[in-house]
Amino acid sequence: MDEVLWKAAAKLRGSVDAARYKDFVLGLVFLKYASDGALPVPAGARWADLAAASGPGTLGERIDAAMDTIMRADPSLDGALPKIFAGVDQRRLADLVGLIGQVEFGGRSARDVLGEVYEYFLERFARAEGKRGGEFYTPSSVVRLLVEILEPFKGRVYDPCCGSGGMFVQAERFVLSHRGRLDDIAVYGQEANERTWRLARMNLAVHGIAGDIRLADTFAEDAHPGIEADHVLANPPFNMSDWYRDAGDPRWRYGVPPAGNANFAWMQHIVSKLGPHGRAGVVMANGSMSSRQSGEGGIRAALVEADLVACVVALPDRLFRSTPIPACLWFLDRNKGMPGRVLFVDARDMGTMVDRTERVLTGDDIARIAGAYRSWRAHDHTDVPGFCHSASVDEIRSHDHVLTPGRYVGTAEPDAGDEPAADRVERLTKELLTHLEESARLDQIVRTELGRLDG
């Protein structure tokens, strides 16, 4: 059904600006969810009335009116729904309305089915939009890994750059899969992009999640100043160079982040939001683990010395269609299970290619990484060469507070003559590529600094 709907939605593409295409489709999916009884929709504006082409005005005008009515009836949705349907090709719009109306529930609730459809569309739009898609969508296998490690059973869940709300949806699934209740967690977030903020609010409503999602730039306006989060899940923009920076901001407790890169601004903002037992999982560019430019090395060292860093995971390449930049995961914890130590996990060899350009982490991959972290936190850890290593702060100091897992986990030693030649070539090639990536990154830093001197 998902694939049929995606192909059907393509009918509208030619008459709608590409940048706004997903707003039309996801807005219709939301309206279908609302009309099936989730929210009050007046007679004449219900899905059946729209599909039957009854009532005054064009189909697009009636859809806009229905959106307006829903927002008036539910203040939490005020300003969140698109009213953009009157000006599109009405014949193609009617075709799309008819096809979305054919979603089969298969004995499950409308919320479950339409929630899946909504997520499917979000993922497909993210793939289609490439780099821009990364602004509102984090690959589902990465989100699942974050949630499995953090285990957000109860409490306040916060995301300072929530995109379309995927972190919250996955947290909800985790709670329900462990026999919890939806109201066991309270959701808080903010998003600077207005259209993405709309997507997040619709996404949460489709999944039946009540959340306080604000529209604001996190650095210019902290929308949740008093929150003490139990869990923070975040995938901030990598290496963000255009950001609001106040050198006197009290959030910069561990050092003032450089103007040209917001990585450690995000990190310190997240630390400032953690409650007394708060834990965070953050997706970061690989440079965050080793960069020493513009004071970043000092901030990283201060975070380690404050015993806030619990775990660092090096991810495999090609998990993110939206960027070629290699990524890692940082886990921060105010109440570490292993004080004075950091768990390093090298997962670069994990994942399965689903096509020529995209890799996903399998359920087994996620279980292995999350299992290593849980064992470490429970004081039941054993180092596995080439995969994971628990390092003391003294050991980290000896590496100048560089947190690249490959420095600590070592290399898995195959039995003599046991590694096939093809496997050995692949392993050595990956190691070479890692070194080349680091060399290219350092080369760019040198060129940038030289350019500033020339200026």
Side-chain angles (χ1 to χ4, degrees):
M1 173 57 75
D2 290 339
E3 190 65 30
V4 171
L5 285 174
W6 176 257
K7 290 179 180 177
K11 292 184 176 182
L12 194 60
R13 191 177 303 163
S15 61
V16 173
D17 180 68
R20 306 192 72 187
Y21 176 51
K22 65 178 176 293
D23 300 332
F24 285 87
V25 177
L26 293 171
L28 286 175
V29 171
F30 179 85
L31 184 57
K32 178 65 165 62
Y33 161 78
S35 292
D36 283 344
L39 296 169
V41 180
R46 298 188 182 100
W47 192 267
D49 300 319
L50 298 172
S54 61
T58 66
L59 174 60
E61 289 169 344
R62 294 196 301 277
I63 292 174
D64 285 345
M67 296 288 189
D68 200 35
T69 300
I70 292 171
M71 287 189 287
R72 286 199 306 269
D74 187 347
S76 71
L77 290 171
D78 184 36
L81 305 185
K83 294 169 56 182
I84 51 178
F85 295 90
V88 300
D89 185 315
Q90 297 297 295
R91 179 183 58 80
R92 294 183 181 182
L93 179 60
D95 289 344
L96 183 55
V97 166
L99 284 158
I100 290 177
Q102 295 174 20
V103 173
E104 296 291 339
F105 299 137
R108 294 179 295 158
S109 71
R111 184 172 75 85
D112 289 341
V113 173
L114 285 166
E116 290 176 10
V117 170
Y118 197 92
E119 289 173 59
Y120 175 81
F121 275 149
L122 279 175
E123 182 175 6
R124 288 298 299 260
F125 280 124
R127 289 180 177 179
E129 294 189 23
K131 184 175 182 179
R132 279 203 67 252
E135 296 175 5
F136 64 86
Y137 186 82
T138 305
S140 58
S141 67
V142 175
V143 181
R144 282 169 48 215
L145 176 57
L146 287 169
V147 169
E148 286 295 325
I149 288 179
L150 284 186
E151 300 180 300
F153 288 111
K154 290 185 179 181
R156 295 171 293 274
V157 179
Y158 171 71
D159 186 342
C161 43
C162 67
S164 56
M167 300 285 190
F168 300 133
V169 172
Q170 203 61 242
E172 172 225 20
R173 285 202 176 128
F174 182 86
V175 170
L176 296 179
S177 69
H178 289 78
R179 301 185 179 180
R181 299 177 305 174
L182 194 54
D183 58 3
D184 284 344
I185 60 173
V187 167
Y188 302 87
Q190 67 184 90
E191 170 58 44
N193 183 292
E194 182 176 0
R195 288 171 56 206
T196 303
W197 169 76
R198 291 173 185 266
L199 293 180
R201 295 178 70 193
M202 285 192 287
N203 196 13
L204 264 61
V206 165
H207 286 88
I209 302 172
D212 185 355
I213 310 298
R214 308 283 181 88
L215 175 62
D217 181 315
T218 302
F219 298 125
E221 180 187 351
D222 181 1
H224 298 284
I227 191 176
E228 291 190 343
D230 299 290
H231 308 282
V232 178
L233 294 155
N235 177 19
F238 290 175
N239 304 324
M240 186 176 173
S241 60
D242 182 16
W243 63 287
Y244 176 85
R245 178 178 179 269
D246 176 0
D249 195 308
R251 288 175 286 189
W252 314 151
R253 181 176 174 183
Y254 302 95
V256 179
N261 194 316
N263 286 348
F264 283 98
W266 288 111
M267 204 82 78
Q268 292 188 83
H269 170 78
I270 288 167
V271 169
S272 76
K273 292 302 179 186
L274 293 177
H277 301 283
R279 302 163 65 194
V282 190
V283 185
M284 277 277 138
N286 271 5
S288 64
M289 300 185 292
S290 59
S291 172
R292 293 189 178 92
Q293 67 179 122
S294 304
E296 289 183 325
I299 300 173
R300 183 175 55 251
L303 292 170
V304 171
E305 295 295 338
D307 214 16
L308 287 166
V309 182
C311 177
V312 179
V313 179
L315 294 173
D317 62 2
R318 288 181 282 186
L319 287 177
F320 297 80
R321 278 181 178 261
S322 57
T323 177
I325 300 173
C328 60
L329 303 181
W330 286 61
F331 292 93
L332 308 170
D333 196 336
R334 286 205 182 274
N335 186 32
K336 287 167 63 173
M338 292 283 280
R341 304 193 73 85
V342 175
L343 177 66
F344 291 96
V345 178
D346 191 342
R348 288 176 298 169
D349 288 337
M350 290 187 169
T352 299
M353 298 298 294
V354 293
D355 57 35
R356 290 186 301 174
T357 60
E358 184 178 13
R359 187 189 308 274
V360 299
L361 294 171
T362 66
D364 288 343
D365 294 332
I366 293 169
R368 188 183 182 202
I369 298 168
Y373 179 78
R374 290 171 187 163
S375 296
W376 176 83
R377 205 165 187 266
H379 297 255
D380 187 26
H381 171 77
T382 302
D383 286 347
V384 178
F387 174 62
C388 63
H389 175 76
S390 178
S392 68
V393 172
D394 281 341
E395 185 178 356
I396 295 171
R397 287 188 194 115
S398 73
H399 288 279
D400 294 327
H401 296 94
V402 170
L403 302 183
T404 307
R407 289 197 173 206
Y408 300 90
V409 304
T411 303
E413 294 294 338
D415 293 335
D418 194 38
E419 185 179 22
D423 291 351
R424 187 166 187 269
V425 169
E426 181 179 3
R427 175 172 59 81
L428 293 174
T429 299
K430 287 181 178 179
E431 291 178 8
L432 175 61
L433 289 173
T434 298
H435 293 308
L436 290 174
E437 286 173 359
E438 180 68 5
S439 174
R441 188 184 69 80
L442 294 173
D443 178 70
Q444 185 58 48
I445 291 171
V446 171
R447 288 176 183 273
T448 300
E449 295 301 322
L450 288 174
R452 288 175 180 170
L453 291 173
D454 291 341

